[in-house]
Structure formats: structure tokens, C-alpha cells
Amino acid sequence: MHLSVIGCGYLGAVHAAAMASIGHDVVGIDVDERKIASLSKGEAPFFEPGLPEILSEGIASGRLRFTTDMAEAAGAQVHFVGVGTPQVKGGYAADLTYVDAAIDALLPYLAEGDIVAGKSTVPVGTAATLAERVAPTGATLVWNPEFLREGWAVQDTIDPDRLVAGVPAGPAGERAAEILRKVYHPSVGKGTPFLVTDYATAELVKVSANAFLATKISFINAMAEIAEVTGADVTQLADAIGYDDRIGRKFLGAGIGFGGGCLPKDIRAFSARAEELGRGESVAFLREIDEINMRRRDRAVDLVVEGLSGSVFKKNITVLGAAFKPHSDDIRDSPALDVAVRLHGLGAWVTITDPAAIENARRIHPQLNYVDDRDEALRGADAVIVVTEWDEYRRQLSPEHAATLTQGRIVIDGRNCLDAAAWREAGWTYYGMGRP
Ligand code: UGA
């Protein structure tokens, strides 16, 4: 099938390449010339395992190309819209400027029978408004939210755990759902659930999924706070409750909390939309979720201060990690980087390293000292804090080896990802999050 993908950020670039990899003929369109130039060469503009491979394959096969010219969307049967919906400045709501601009730019190239498939995360009610704007062209709007995780984006796009299509009532909606089924034929064919809903449900599925994940993380972090005053161990608690498959162990990782380009902004936009709908109280708990999450960053900083006997002033602190999670170079709302910046603000000499995110971090926070090599970063540290659980720190860094490099033997495990006993045995004073 001929597809266009409008917006070539995380979502769009991966979607375009993944659709080409399952056999479609795809044009990716974005207003950012640099992004398009790099994608056209088969280079991913961000770190995403597996993406460079499917980009190069797609381009070499002739099924995948990128352009800044919206006119090239003409002729595609399905137009995916995957532009960003950041938080508005000075508020919690989602900024729909890019979605509106993408639809406006696309309208002149739509033909009778085309499908416009919205993938951006939007406030409930957006699709209905956009559908009215698309209607005069004879095209049909569907809402097809995306659930990919950064770091696993290729796999999540090609082999998702479910597909959702929000369609209008009647034959046009049924036809649109059928076409979308064909687009996703490999996964639909092997039994991936394909749920057809109305617009509002599809929009809400996306934000409620992210709200639930955020809630799960803040729940365990709230338990970590209680563990801290009772001497309990939150990781054992998580293991024990996680064996109940109604609860499940996933997303019960206590630590410095969630960040990234999605969970934080999505729960805020959800609250803002619920307020507009007169149902603010229904998701009032999301404010608590947000506050618990932000408190964990304070806690991590406090532990470093405690470890260094009350002050980090003029102390060498090595921060392991900058990305908001491993397998990503994304530093948007990164708790890791926030902790580093806070320590710097308290007068510490902060050295930070990360396998993928240094360039991005340096651009936003040039005041910190960035070192590519992990061992070099550790040299002379008075204290070490792990804030992104990359394997390079979690599995590949032995406490004995680390001890040969640092000045002090204080380690703060901001992700509860280290073997506490092994670090203690190697002579370190170990601090976990919600662990004795
Ligand atoms: C999230 C969702 O997981 C995806 O399903 C969704 O499609 C995506 O947002 C989106 O809306 O686009 P992502 O932002 O890639 O994906 O990251 P997650 O894997 O959800 O992690 C989010 C944050 O939570 C990270 O900072 C991570 O370190 C933190 N986290 C995760 C914890 O603190 N504890 C855990 O147990 C799990």
C-alpha cells in the first residue's frame, strides 16, 4: 500500500521505516530539513536500536523515502499523522499547534476515499474536531494511537501488543477500519488484538494507558517513601506483590521516578483536559502521582548529601546516566539529568557520563562536565550516583573495579539496579531508594 507519514520524530520516523519493512511503499514528511536529510541517508536522527537497519533497508529497497514537500503525500491511501504534542508553555494542556499545522498542510493533497490516521497523543475530543476539517475532502479520519516504548520502538511498531482504531460510525468508519487492518496485516494476521472503537475511546485508551503506567511507578515510589521511615526494603516488597499476577512486577521499579517525552506531559495534559470537561476530580490523583514522582528526585539528592556527611559543596560527584531511561538518548524531562543539575546547583563538581545521551545533555546543560569514558568519569569521585540503569553500570561495572578509580566509596543507587550486597562487600557505603 502507498502510505505517507507526516512528522518524522520518534514516532513518525520509526513508523515510516517499520511500515516499509513490512512491505509498504512509504513517504515520510517533515518540515525539519536536517532531519529529512539525515533520514534520507538512512541515518536515524536519534538513538533507537534497530532503526538504522530498517531505515537503510527501506531506502535501499526503494520503498522508503523522506521529503519536506507535503505535495508528495498525494496519492497515498493512508496518511499517518505523528507530530508532537508538547506541554504548552505556562500550563499543563497539550499544545496542538503541530497537529493543526500538519492537517492544514495535508488537506490540499487529500483525495476522496483517503484515510487520515492520527497517531499523535491528543486530548480527548481532538479527533472529532479534526474529522470535521477533513470531511470536505472526502477522506476519513481514524484515530490510531501508538503505544511504542523508546528503546523498543521498532519491535513495538512491527509487533504491537494491541492495535486500536477509533473510527466514525457507519460505512465510512467500517471501511477505514478494514483499510487499517490491511496496513497492519502481518500483526493482525497472527492474532494481535485489533480493537475498533469510537474516536473518544481511542484517544482515551492512549492517555489512560500512560496514566496507569505512571500511577504504577508512583505507587511503588510511595511505598519506597514508607519503606524509608520503617526500614523496609521496597524492592523485596515489589517482588512479593509482583508475584500476584493481578498486580505484576513490571513497572514496579522504585527509584528516581519517571521522565521522558510522554508520561510526565501526558498525565498533565490529561488533568488539564479533565478540568475542561468539568471532571477534574476524576483524575485529581494524577497530581499526587506527579508530586510523588518529583519528590524522588529530591530524595536522591538528599541521599548524596547524606552520604557526603551533610554537604556536596566542592565535592566530586560522578553521575552515571543522563538519558531518561536506558537504550535511549532522550533527555526530555530526564530525572537523571535533573538530579545532576540539582547537585551542580548545590556547589558540587559534577561529572556525568552516558553511553548515548551526552550530546543531547550537553546542549541543554553545558555547565556540567561530560566525559565519554565511564572509567574516566569515575576517576577521583567522592561519591557516585547511578541514575540511568544502563547495563554498562548495572551489570558491567564491578564494585571492586570502581573502587580502584574513585576517591570515596559512597554509591547512591538511584534506580535500585545494583547488587547492594556485592557493593557493600567491596567496601562501599551503599544507599538505595527505599531500601535500608
Ligand atoms: C511510554 C509508554 O511506556 C509507552 O507505552 C508509550 O507509547 C510512550 O510512553 C508514549 O506515550 O509514546 P516511554 O516514554 O518510552 O514509553 O518510556 P517508559 O518505558 O514507559 O518509561 C518511562 C519512565 O518511567 C522512564 O523514565 C523509566 O525510567 C521510568 N520507570 C519505568 C520507572 O521509574 N520505573 C519502572 O518500573 C518503569
Side-chain angles (χ1 to χ4, degrees):
M1 295 169 80
H2 289 279
L3 312 176
S4 81
V5 179
I6 324 292
C8 293
Y10 254 109
L11 198 175
V14 174
H15 195 69
M19 292 300 104
S21 83
I22 60 169
H24 298 300
D25 189 52
V26 187
V27 58
I29 305 173
D30 199 290
V31 292
D32 184 335
E33 289 181 6
R34 272 183 43 200
K35 206 180 276 174
I36 291 300
S38 112
L39 287 166
S40 300
K41 284 187 272 175
E43 288 165 13
F46 46 83
F47 179 91
E48 184 61 46
L51 180 59
E53 290 81 354
I54 59 167
L55 272 177
S56 312
E57 279 165 29
I59 291 166
S61 71
R63 284 198 307 273
L64 177 63
R65 65 206 159 83
F66 292 94
T67 177
T68 54
D69 184 4
M70 187 63 92
E72 296 203 31
Q77 267 178 287
V78 183
H79 308 270
F80 289 98
V81 178
V83 294
T85 51
Q87 191 176 323
V88 291
K89 291 191 174 65
Y92 270 4
D95 180 352
L96 294 176
T97 311
Y98 303 111
V99 174
D100 286 332
I103 295 288
D104 283 343
L106 179 61
L107 283 177
Y109 304 104
L110 291 177
E112 180 84 34
D114 282 7
I115 306 295
V116 177
K119 293 197 83 63
S120 306
T121 302
V122 293
V124 56
T126 306
T129 312
L130 296 178
E132 283 174 24
R133 283 165 55 197
V134 165
T137 65
T140 304
L141 182 90
V142 303
W143 212 259
N144 174 220
E146 180 56 61
F147 305 102
L148 65 80
R149 298 158 299 167
E150 289 181 20
W152 309 95
V154 172
Q155 180 193 319
D156 286 351
T157 306
I158 293 175
D159 192 14
D161 44 22
R162 79 291 208 188
L163 289 152
V164 176
V167 301
E174 283 164 25
R175 178 178 166 272
E178 254 343 282
I179 292 176
L180 220 52
R181 257 186 235 275
K182 273 195 210 150
V183 171
Y184 295 115
H185 67 100
S187 41
V188 173
K190 66 175 211 191
T192 300
F194 185 96
L195 289 94
V196 179
T197 69
D198 53 29
Y199 288 147
T201 306
E203 293 166 315
L204 279 172
V205 166
K206 169 67 196 195
V207 286
S208 57
N210 276 0
F212 192 87
L213 294 172
T215 302
K216 218 175 161 188
I217 298 168
S218 277
F219 173 83
I220 201 65
N221 278 329
M223 296 307 106
E225 292 186 332
I226 303 296
E228 273 150 17
V229 293
T230 53
D233 185 331
V234 77
T235 58
Q236 288 186 326
L237 182 151
D239 289 343
I241 63 172
Y243 281 118
D244 181 336
D245 61 13
R246 293 169 304 173
I247 297 173
R249 181 62 171 85
K250 288 181 185 163
F251 273 66
L252 288 182
I256 57 169
F258 60 82
C262 303
L263 263 44
K265 80 156 171 70
D266 287 355
I267 60 168
R268 291 172 186 166
F270 196 7
S271 301
R273 184 65 183 134
E275 295 272 349
E276 285 169 12
L277 294 166
R279 281 286 181 277
E281 71 275 22
S282 304
V283 292
F285 67 94
L286 290 177
R287 178 174 289 274
E288 292 293 330
I289 296 307
D290 207 348
E291 282 180 4
I292 293 165
N293 191 50
M294 300 311 284
R295 281 205 297 270
R296 300 317 285 163
R297 304 177 185 190
D298 301 336
R299 172 68 184 167
V301 172
D302 289 349
L303 284 177
V304 184
V305 173
E306 193 185 316
L308 290 170
S309 312
S311 172
V312 297
F313 192 71
K314 290 191 174 177
K315 294 283 171 57
N316 286 303
I317 298 172
T318 297
V319 176
L320 297 178
F324 83 107
K325 66 172 189 180
H327 313 292
S328 171
D329 66 354
D330 198 343
I331 48 131
R332 286 177 293 171
D333 208 344
S334 168
L337 201 48
D338 192 21
V339 166
V341 169
R342 289 180 196 210
L343 289 167
H344 174 84
L346 293 174
W349 290 315
V350 174
T351 297
I352 182 162
T353 186
D354 187 285
I358 287 185
E359 284 317 308
N360 286 342
R362 199 199 311 270
R363 218 171 297 132
I364 310 286
H365 295 295
Q367 74 276 28
L368 304 177
N369 179 32
Y370 296 94
V371 172
D372 285 314
D373 183 74
R374 182 199 67 193
D375 286 4
E376 208 43 55
L378 285 167
R379 208 172 293 283
D382 295 305
V384 177
I385 177 165
V386 181
V387 279
T388 313
E389 67 277 33
W390 287 97
D391 277 350
E392 281 81 345
Y393 316 137
R394 195 162 67 113
R395 294 186 198 281
Q396 294 159 18
L397 177 61
S398 86
E400 291 80 13
H401 175 66
T404 65
L405 300 166
T406 58
Q407 184 75 37
R409 304 281 181 277
I410 313 288
V411 64
I412 293 87
D413 184 0
R415 291 293 185 180
N416 288 339
C417 62
L418 303 178
D419 179 344
W423 282 76
R424 286 193 174 117
E425 248 165 61
W428 291 79
T429 305
Y430 170 95
Y431 295 84
M433 304 282 295
R435 309 179 78 180

